[in-house]
Amino acid sequence: MTINSTDLFSSVQLGPYTLPNRIVMAPMTRNRAGEGNIPTAINAKYYAQRATAGLIVTEATQVSPQGVGYPATPGIHSPEQIEGWRQVTDAVHSLGGRIFLQLWHVGRISHPSLQPDGALPVAPSAIAPLGDAMTYTGSQPFVTPRALETDEIAGVVDQFLQGAKNAQAAGFDGVEIHGAFGYLLDQFLQDGANQRSDRYGGYIENRARFLLEVTEAVCSVWGGNRVGIKLSPSNTYNDIRDSNPKATFSYVIDQLNQFGLGYVHLMEPTPADIRHGGTPIPAAYFRAIYQGTLIFNGGYDKEKANSAILSGHADLVSFGTLYIANPDLPERFRLDTALNEPDSSTFYGGDEKGYIDYSFLNPSKIA
C-alpha cells in the first residue's frame, strides 16, 4: 500500500497524526545525557530546535539498566529519566512538533563496566562480537556475553513493555522499537549471532519470535498505529551477519503487517556494509512486501528523497547527519539554500558545541 505521495513537503498521515511534511529526524546517539542517564535541559533545547521535522525520532534509549551499552546515553526506566524526557516532549510540543522515543536494548554490545554489578552482557548466544565497547574509561574489547535462558526472555520483553509505558508517562507521541544495527533484537534475528536450539533459534520463524513478541507487547500499550520499528537488512555494524538476509528480513517485514504499525523504518545498505561482506538489499526491495508506511534512511539528500517518495517506494525519508548540523533542515530544503557542514569531532559526547550551536537561516526561530 502506497500513500499518494508528492514530495518531501506534502503532508502525510502517520497513524493518528497528520504530519506537515515527510522529513523525519532520524534517531542519533549523541552521548549527552546527564548523570544517571537522565535527559537534561540541553537535550530539550536540541530537540526543540528541530521541531519543524514532520517527525522526530529520539536517540536510542535503553529500556533497562541491562540494556546500557554506551556512556551518557539516556534511559527510560527510572522516574528521574521519565521526568527528564518530559522536559524534551514539552519543549517539542510547545513548538507544534511530534516526537517518538526509540526503545533500545544493546544485548552483547556492552561491557561489564556498564552493567549492573559488573555482570556479563546478555545475548541470544555466547558469541563475542569483534570490536571494542565504548566505556567510561575508554575503548575495551567486547567480552563473551551470557546467553539468555529461555525462561528469561519473557522478562526482557517486559523491559520493552515497561519502557513503552514509561514513554507514555513522559509525554511522547509514540515509540520506535530499535531492531537494527546489531543490537539485541537484531542479534536474535540474524544467525551469525543466534545459534540457539530452543524456540528462539534455528529457523527464521524461531529467530523472529523475540522481535515479534516485543512488537506485540509494545503495541498493547500504544496501539499499533503509534509504534514504529527500525530494521537494517544489509547492516554489518557491530559484527552482525546472516546467511540469507533477504529471506530473513522478507519474513520479518511480512510478519510485521499483522500489527498495523505506524511505520517500518528501513536502512539502506552503506559502503561499509558492502566492504565488510554484507548483502546489499535496497530498502525499495521491501515495498512489495510491506503493506503500510515505510521510512527510508541512508545517504539521502533532498533530490534522492523526493525521488524515493515520488516513485512510491518510500512514504517518508529520515535524515541523520544533515539534522545534526541543520536544525532548520526543512526550511533549508524548501529554499534550496546552503547547508551547514557537520563537525564530526563533536558527534559523540561533549557540551553545547556541535550540539545546539549550529546556525539557523532565521535566528529568531532558535528555541
Side-chain angles (χ1 to χ4, degrees):
M1 180 182 74
T2 303
I3 296 171
N4 289 329
S5 302
T6 53
D7 62 13
L8 284 170
F9 309 109
S10 57
S11 64
V12 62
Q13 196 71 23
L14 190 147
Y17 305 118
T18 301
L19 306 183
N21 60 62
R22 297 164 189 256
I23 301 169
V24 178
M25 178 181 170
M28 293 174 286
T29 292
R30 304 300 307 276
N31 302 93
R32 282 173 168 86
E35 185 176 352
N37 303 103
I38 299 169
T40 66
I42 190 176
N43 308 122
K45 183 169 185 177
Y46 169 72
Y47 285 110
Q49 286 179 337
R50 291 154 178 82
T52 56
L55 176 68
I56 293 171
V57 185
T58 72
E59 61 209 278
T61 301
Q62 51 260 0
V63 294
S64 69
Q66 185 192 67
V68 177
Y70 300 86
T73 51
I76 190 66
H77 51 83
S78 76
E80 295 80 10
Q81 291 165 354
I82 293 170
E83 286 307 305
W85 276 119
R86 171 63 75 170
Q87 291 184 69
V88 175
T89 60
D90 284 350
V92 170
H93 290 153
S94 72
L95 296 168
R98 296 286 187 187
I99 183 167
F100 279 30
L101 179 78
Q102 191 184 63
L103 301 170
W104 189 34
H105 191 307
V106 305
R108 68 181 187 172
I109 306 301
S110 187
H111 188 270
S113 66
L114 298 168
Q115 291 289 306
D117 302 320
L120 288 174
V122 299
S125 300
I127 302 170
L130 298 175
D132 294 325
M134 183 191 301
T135 77
Y136 283 100
T137 58
S139 295
Q140 299 191 46
F142 286 123
V143 301
T144 300
R146 177 179 68 83
L148 285 161
E149 299 292 339
T150 304
D151 60 5
E152 290 183 280
I153 293 174
V156 184
V157 175
D158 285 343
Q159 293 175 20
F160 280 90
L161 176 69
Q162 189 61 52
K165 292 178 179 178
N166 292 347
Q168 277 192 335
F172 283 95
D173 299 300
V175 292
E176 178 178 284
I177 300 165
H178 197 338
F181 292 157
Y183 297 117
L184 185 61
L185 293 171
D186 207 14
Q187 291 161 29
F188 270 85
L189 282 183
Q190 303 209 44
D191 58 19
N194 183 348
Q195 297 182 9
R196 302 176 71 93
S197 57
D198 64 357
R199 63 196 296 265
Y200 291 95
Y203 294 115
I204 180 53
E205 293 84 356
N206 287 346
R207 286 183 280 121
R209 189 184 308 276
F210 176 50
L211 180 146
L212 296 176
E213 288 178 350
V214 166
T215 304
E216 182 177 18
V218 172
C219 289
S220 75
V221 175
W222 281 95
N225 66 354
R226 292 189 290 171
V227 175
I229 187 165
K230 188 173 186 180
L231 300 171
S232 52
S234 304
N235 175 62
T236 58
Y237 180 62
N238 283 325
D239 195 31
I240 199 73
R241 59 197 70 252
D242 189 79
S243 60
N244 191 348
K246 186 172 284 189
T248 293
F249 284 92
S250 293
Y251 174 81
V252 169
I253 290 169
D254 181 54
Q255 289 297 302
L256 291 173
N257 281 311
Q258 68 185 287
F259 296 103
L261 297 177
Y263 63 85
V264 172
H265 193 173
L266 294 176
M267 294 297 302
E268 297 282 8
T270 69
D273 296 332
I274 296 167
R275 283 198 306 273
H276 292 96
T279 301
I281 310 170
Y285 175 80
F286 299 101
R287 176 73 280 175
I289 298 171
Y290 190 63
Q291 297 166 10
T293 297
L294 288 177
I295 302 176
F296 289 178
N297 176 274
Y300 281 91
D301 56 18
K302 176 184 172 182
E303 182 180 0
K304 291 178 181 177
N306 273 331
S307 178
I309 290 170
L310 288 166
S311 70
H313 292 148
D315 299 302
L316 303 93
V317 175
S318 69
F319 301 87
T321 304
L322 291 183
Y323 249 124
I324 289 177
N326 298 276
D328 53 354
L329 187 64
E331 186 174 8
R332 289 175 185 268
F333 275 171
R334 191 182 300 277
L335 298 176
D336 284 319
T337 194
L339 299 176
N340 295 327
E341 286 294 326
D343 176 4
S344 60
S345 70
T346 61
F347 282 179
Y348 305 109
D351 51 21
E352 295 184 1
K353 180 175 171 54
Y355 191 58
I356 59 171
D357 63 346
Y358 283 104
S359 66
F360 283 67
L361 287 174
N362 183 349
S364 67
K365 293 186 178 180
I366 298 177

